[in-house]
Amino acid sequence: MNDKFTTASFLESKKQGRKISMLTAYDYPTAKILDEAGVDCILVGDSLGMVVLGYEDTTRVTMDDMVHHTKAVARGVKRAMVVSDMPFLSYHTGKNDSVRNAGRLMSEGGCKAVKLEGGEDIIEDVKAIISAGIPVVGHLGYTPQSINVFGGHKAQGKTIDTAKKIYRDALLLQKAGVFAVVLECVPYKLAAFISKRLDIPTIGIGSGPDCDGQVLVIHDLTGMFPDFTPKHVKKYADMGKTISEAAKSYIEEVQSGVFPTEKNSFTVDDSIIGELEKNKFDI
């Protein structure tokens, strides 16, 4: 698919049974690489708080952080759709704040849609943002901004009550106008059940193969986040190891004098150096 991926592309992919690919990115070069590789959607996730900024969780990420990184990603993308996360407390203090902050991510950051965590509790905010002309992606199941409520990284929807809530919230988000919903760490049979009953696509992360698309954090996929690897991640490369080995080789060559050589350096005519040797500077 060579055309730009849009909200309409999400819905058309669902109708055609074509799986949607989504990956995170937080900077220009990564976004450019992923875009040229053909990914459908790039998510500027608030996961940057952990994998880029070194925070313990996502709750310390600010609006300025998200705008800054969204700008960088948007500059590197030509085809993929850029979606940006609304960070903790950016949409929990009233509809005006929600619309204003979503607007910043679009007008300043350059994204084409925003993603919010939550269901019934944020429906009015979702409606207000969409009414302002900003497309929205929902996010249900394990919602990282609620880590302190959940008491850790835990799968959601394993009881009848929580399963009902996730399903109901998905229906409410669809009715409110979101064009897709992320299901994170939801039991795969529940995710399949919900995916079959929604008209909008589901994007799974740790929620099994029957969602309409998948998303992973690029640092997990490439082995660039050494602290831990979630159960739902498949590591396609070990770039962390590759970079470590490259750095060690560089250090060794610098210390031994192997690098740099004349090939890595710029030249000047010997007459210039000779002229400098004749001069005595009075300084």
Side-chain angles (χ1 to χ4, degrees), residues 12-13 27 29 76 80 83 104 117-118 128 134 163 172 207-208 216 227 251 258 279:
E12 190 61 29
S13 294
D27 56 58
V83 177
R104 282 194 65 194
E117 297 181 7
I134 303 169
L172 288 171
S207 299
L216 281 179
D227 292 8
I251 294 166
V258 172
N279 284 271

PDB file of all heavy atoms in Angstrom, residues 12-13 27 29 76 80 83 104 117-118 128 134 163 172 207-208 216 227 251 258 279:
ATOM      1  N   GLU A  12     -11.208   0.686   6.386  1.00  0.00           N
ATOM      2  CA  GLU A  12     -11.195  -0.129   5.177  1.00  0.00           C
ATOM      3  C   GLU A  12     -10.429  -1.426   5.411  1.00  0.00           C
ATOM      4  O   GLU A  12     -10.818  -2.491   4.916  1.00  0.00           O
ATOM      5  CB  GLU A  12     -10.564   0.657   4.027  1.00  0.00           C
ATOM      6  CG  GLU A  12     -10.706   0.000   2.668  1.00  0.00           C
ATOM      7  CD  GLU A  12     -12.147  -0.177   2.234  1.00  0.00           C
ATOM      8  OE1 GLU A  12     -13.003   0.640   2.641  1.00  0.00           O
ATOM      9  OE2 GLU A  12     -12.417  -1.142   1.485  1.00  0.00           O
ATOM     10  N   SER A  13      -9.346  -1.344   6.167  1.00  0.00           N
ATOM     11  CA  SER A  13      -8.570  -2.546   6.485  1.00  0.00           C
ATOM     12  C   SER A  13      -9.411  -3.543   7.275  1.00  0.00           C
ATOM     13  O   SER A  13      -9.332  -4.751   7.053  1.00  0.00           O
ATOM     14  CB  SER A  13      -7.317  -2.167   7.287  1.00  0.00           C
ATOM     15  OG  SER A  13      -6.428  -1.402   6.511  1.00  0.00           O
ATOM     16  N   ASP A  27      11.522   9.547  17.708  1.00  0.00           N
ATOM     17  CA  ASP A  27      12.495  10.464  17.129  1.00  0.00           C
ATOM     18  C   ASP A  27      12.436  10.381  15.604  1.00  0.00           C
ATOM     19  O   ASP A  27      11.837   9.467  15.036  1.00  0.00           O
ATOM     20  CB  ASP A  27      13.907  10.155  17.627  1.00  0.00           C
ATOM     21  CG  ASP A  27      14.316   8.716  17.366  1.00  0.00           C
ATOM     22  OD1 ASP A  27      14.301   8.287  16.199  1.00  0.00           O
ATOM     23  OD2 ASP A  27      14.645   8.001  18.329  1.00  0.00           O
ATOM     24  N   PRO A  29      14.901   9.822  13.115  1.00  0.00           N
ATOM     25  CA  PRO A  29      15.476   8.716  12.336  1.00  0.00           C
ATOM     26  C   PRO A  29      14.701   7.417  12.457  1.00  0.00           C
ATOM     27  O   PRO A  29      14.522   6.702  11.467  1.00  0.00           O
ATOM     28  CB  PRO A  29      16.904   8.585  12.892  1.00  0.00           C
ATOM     29  CG  PRO A  29      16.889   9.281  14.205  1.00  0.00           C
ATOM     30  CD  PRO A  29      15.863  10.345  14.099  1.00  0.00           C
ATOM     31  N   GLY A  76       9.704  12.898  10.142  1.00  0.00           N
ATOM     32  CA  GLY A  76      10.301  11.757   9.455  1.00  0.00           C
ATOM     33  C   GLY A  76       9.333  10.894   8.682  1.00  0.00           C
ATOM     34  O   GLY A  76       9.734   9.897   8.081  1.00  0.00           O
ATOM     35  N   ALA A  80       2.973   6.773   6.688  1.00  0.00           N
ATOM     36  CA  ALA A  80       2.288   6.215   7.851  1.00  0.00           C
ATOM     37  C   ALA A  80       1.461   7.284   8.567  1.00  0.00           C
ATOM     38  O   ALA A  80       1.763   8.480   8.479  1.00  0.00           O
ATOM     39  CB  ALA A  80       3.301   5.607   8.816  1.00  0.00           C
ATOM     40  N   VAL A  83       0.006   8.830  15.278  1.00  0.00           N
ATOM     41  CA  VAL A  83      -0.920   8.970  16.407  1.00  0.00           C
ATOM     42  C   VAL A  83      -0.096   9.267  17.650  1.00  0.00           C
ATOM     43  O   VAL A  83       0.954   8.658  17.867  1.00  0.00           O
ATOM     44  CB  VAL A  83      -1.727   7.677  16.625  1.00  0.00           C
ATOM     45  CG1 VAL A  83      -2.639   7.807  17.851  1.00  0.00           C
ATOM     46  CG2 VAL A  83      -2.553   7.347  15.382  1.00  0.00           C
ATOM     47  N   ARG A 104      -2.958  20.746  20.870  1.00  0.00           N
ATOM     48  CA  ARG A 104      -1.510  21.001  20.861  1.00  0.00           C
ATOM     49  C   ARG A 104      -0.764  19.871  20.149  1.00  0.00           C
ATOM     50  O   ARG A 104       0.167  20.125  19.375  1.00  0.00           O
ATOM     51  CB  ARG A 104      -0.980  21.117  22.290  1.00  0.00           C
ATOM     52  CG  ARG A 104      -1.245  22.419  22.992  1.00  0.00           C
ATOM     53  CD  ARG A 104      -0.388  22.523  24.245  1.00  0.00           C
ATOM     54  NE  ARG A 104       1.041  22.579  23.900  1.00  0.00           N
ATOM     55  CZ  ARG A 104       2.022  22.399  24.790  1.00  0.00           C
ATOM     56  NH1 ARG A 104       1.742  22.127  26.052  1.00  0.00           N
ATOM     57  NH2 ARG A 104       3.290  22.471  24.397  1.00  0.00           N
ATOM     58  N   GLU A 117      -6.443   6.746  27.158  1.00  0.00           N
ATOM     59  CA  GLU A 117      -6.700   5.541  27.933  1.00  0.00           C
ATOM     60  C   GLU A 117      -7.994   5.705  28.726  1.00  0.00           C
ATOM     61  O   GLU A 117      -8.207   6.735  29.361  1.00  0.00           O
ATOM     62  CB  GLU A 117      -5.543   5.258  28.894  1.00  0.00           C
ATOM     63  CG  GLU A 117      -4.218   4.979  28.205  1.00  0.00           C
ATOM     64  CD  GLU A 117      -3.097   4.686  29.200  1.00  0.00           C
ATOM     65  OE1 GLU A 117      -3.388   4.576  30.414  1.00  0.00           O
ATOM     66  OE2 GLU A 117      -1.942   4.555  28.772  1.00  0.00           O
ATOM     67  N   GLY A 118      -8.831   4.666  28.691  1.00  0.00           N
ATOM     68  CA  GLY A 118     -10.043   4.695  29.495  1.00  0.00           C
ATOM     69  C   GLY A 118     -11.294   4.451  28.686  1.00  0.00           C
ATOM     70  O   GLY A 118     -11.269   4.466  27.446  1.00  0.00           O
ATOM     71  N   ALA A 128     -15.788  15.458  23.014  1.00  0.00           N
ATOM     72  CA  ALA A 128     -15.395  16.858  22.839  1.00  0.00           C
ATOM     73  C   ALA A 128     -14.208  16.979  21.888  1.00  0.00           C
ATOM     74  O   ALA A 128     -14.165  17.877  21.037  1.00  0.00           O
ATOM     75  CB  ALA A 128     -15.060  17.472  24.199  1.00  0.00           C
ATOM     76  N   ILE A 134     -10.596  16.413  15.854  1.00  0.00           N
ATOM     77  CA  ILE A 134      -9.384  15.639  16.123  1.00  0.00           C
ATOM     78  C   ILE A 134      -9.759  14.169  16.275  1.00  0.00           C
ATOM     79  O   ILE A 134     -10.476  13.805  17.212  1.00  0.00           O
ATOM     80  CB  ILE A 134      -8.685  16.134  17.405  1.00  0.00           C
ATOM     81  CG1 ILE A 134      -8.361  17.626  17.284  1.00  0.00           C
ATOM     82  CG2 ILE A 134      -7.416  15.318  17.686  1.00  0.00           C
ATOM     83  CD1 ILE A 134      -7.919  18.264  18.590  1.00  0.00           C
ATOM     84  N   ALA A 163     -14.330  -8.315  32.364  1.00  0.00           N
ATOM     85  CA  ALA A 163     -14.546  -8.616  30.942  1.00  0.00           C
ATOM     86  C   ALA A 163     -15.742  -7.824  30.409  1.00  0.00           C
ATOM     87  O   ALA A 163     -15.687  -7.259  29.314  1.00  0.00           O
ATOM     88  CB  ALA A 163     -14.754 -10.109  30.737  1.00  0.00           C
ATOM     89  N   LEU A 172     -18.989   1.690  23.983  1.00  0.00           N
ATOM     90  CA  LEU A 172     -19.203   3.111  24.261  1.00  0.00           C
ATOM     91  C   LEU A 172     -18.224   3.985  23.473  1.00  0.00           C
ATOM     92  O   LEU A 172     -18.599   5.031  22.936  1.00  0.00           O
ATOM     93  CB  LEU A 172     -19.057   3.381  25.758  1.00  0.00           C
ATOM     94  CG  LEU A 172     -20.191   2.868  26.648  1.00  0.00           C
ATOM     95  CD1 LEU A 172     -19.814   3.008  28.121  1.00  0.00           C
ATOM     96  CD2 LEU A 172     -21.493   3.626  26.375  1.00  0.00           C
ATOM     97  N   SER A 207      -2.627  -9.198  23.333  1.00  0.00           N
ATOM     98  CA  SER A 207      -4.037  -9.606  23.343  1.00  0.00           C
ATOM     99  C   SER A 207      -4.373 -10.621  22.259  1.00  0.00           C
ATOM    100  O   SER A 207      -5.530 -10.747  21.851  1.00  0.00           O
ATOM    101  CB  SER A 207      -4.941  -8.360  23.197  1.00  0.00           C
ATOM    102  OG  SER A 207      -4.731  -7.476  24.281  1.00  0.00           O
ATOM    103  N   GLY A 208      -3.377 -11.336  21.777  1.00  0.00           N
ATOM    104  CA  GLY A 208      -3.634 -12.439  20.863  1.00  0.00           C
ATOM    105  C   GLY A 208      -3.694 -12.064  19.396  1.00  0.00           C
ATOM    106  O   GLY A 208      -3.642 -10.888  19.027  1.00  0.00           O
ATOM    107  N   LEU A 216       3.582  -2.776  18.811  1.00  0.00           N
ATOM    108  CA  LEU A 216       4.653  -3.075  19.761  1.00  0.00           C
ATOM    109  C   LEU A 216       5.512  -1.823  19.960  1.00  0.00           C
ATOM    110  O   LEU A 216       5.566  -0.948  19.098  1.00  0.00           O
ATOM    111  CB  LEU A 216       5.546  -4.214  19.261  1.00  0.00           C
ATOM    112  CG  LEU A 216       5.031  -5.649  19.424  1.00  0.00           C
ATOM    113  CD1 LEU A 216       6.045  -6.633  18.844  1.00  0.00           C
ATOM    114  CD2 LEU A 216       4.737  -5.984  20.886  1.00  0.00           C
ATOM    115  N   ASP A 227      15.918  -3.185  30.503  1.00  0.00           N
ATOM    116  CA  ASP A 227      15.419  -3.370  31.864  1.00  0.00           C
ATOM    117  C   ASP A 227      14.546  -4.611  32.015  1.00  0.00           C
ATOM    118  O   ASP A 227      14.671  -5.356  32.974  1.00  0.00           O
ATOM    119  CB  ASP A 227      14.645  -2.130  32.309  1.00  0.00           C
ATOM    120  CG  ASP A 227      15.564  -0.916  32.471  1.00  0.00           C
ATOM    121  OD1 ASP A 227      16.742  -1.022  32.087  1.00  0.00           O
ATOM    122  OD2 ASP A 227      15.105   0.125  32.969  1.00  0.00           O
ATOM    123  N   ILE A 251      35.913   2.110  21.613  1.00  0.00           N
ATOM    124  CA  ILE A 251      36.740   2.457  22.777  1.00  0.00           C
ATOM    125  C   ILE A 251      38.133   1.837  22.650  1.00  0.00           C
ATOM    126  O   ILE A 251      39.155   2.502  22.876  1.00  0.00           O
ATOM    127  CB  ILE A 251      36.052   1.986  24.069  1.00  0.00           C
ATOM    128  CG1 ILE A 251      34.753   2.778  24.300  1.00  0.00           C
ATOM    129  CG2 ILE A 251      36.988   2.130  25.272  1.00  0.00           C
ATOM    130  CD1 ILE A 251      33.837   2.177  25.351  1.00  0.00           C
ATOM    131  N   VAL A 258      44.221   3.017  16.827  1.00  0.00           N
ATOM    132  CA  VAL A 258      43.800   2.484  15.525  1.00  0.00           C
ATOM    133  C   VAL A 258      42.825   3.442  14.840  1.00  0.00           C
ATOM    134  O   VAL A 258      42.839   3.587  13.617  1.00  0.00           O
ATOM    135  CB  VAL A 258      43.173   1.087  15.691  1.00  0.00           C
ATOM    136  CG1 VAL A 258      42.557   0.601  14.385  1.00  0.00           C
ATOM    137  CG2 VAL A 258      44.225   0.095  16.190  1.00  0.00           C
ATOM    138  N   ASN A 279      56.034  31.536  12.142  1.00  0.00           N
ATOM    139  CA  ASN A 279      55.440  32.670  12.860  1.00  0.00           C
ATOM    140  C   ASN A 279      55.531  32.473  14.359  1.00  0.00           C
ATOM    141  O   ASN A 279      55.327  31.373  14.892  1.00  0.00           O
ATOM    142  CB  ASN A 279      53.968  32.827  12.455  1.00  0.00           C
ATOM    143  CG  ASN A 279      53.810  33.454  11.082  1.00  0.00           C
ATOM    144  OD1 ASN A 279      53.739  34.678  10.964  1.00  0.00           O
ATOM    145  ND2 ASN A 279      53.763  32.610  10.061  1.00  0.00           N
TER     146      ASN A 279
END
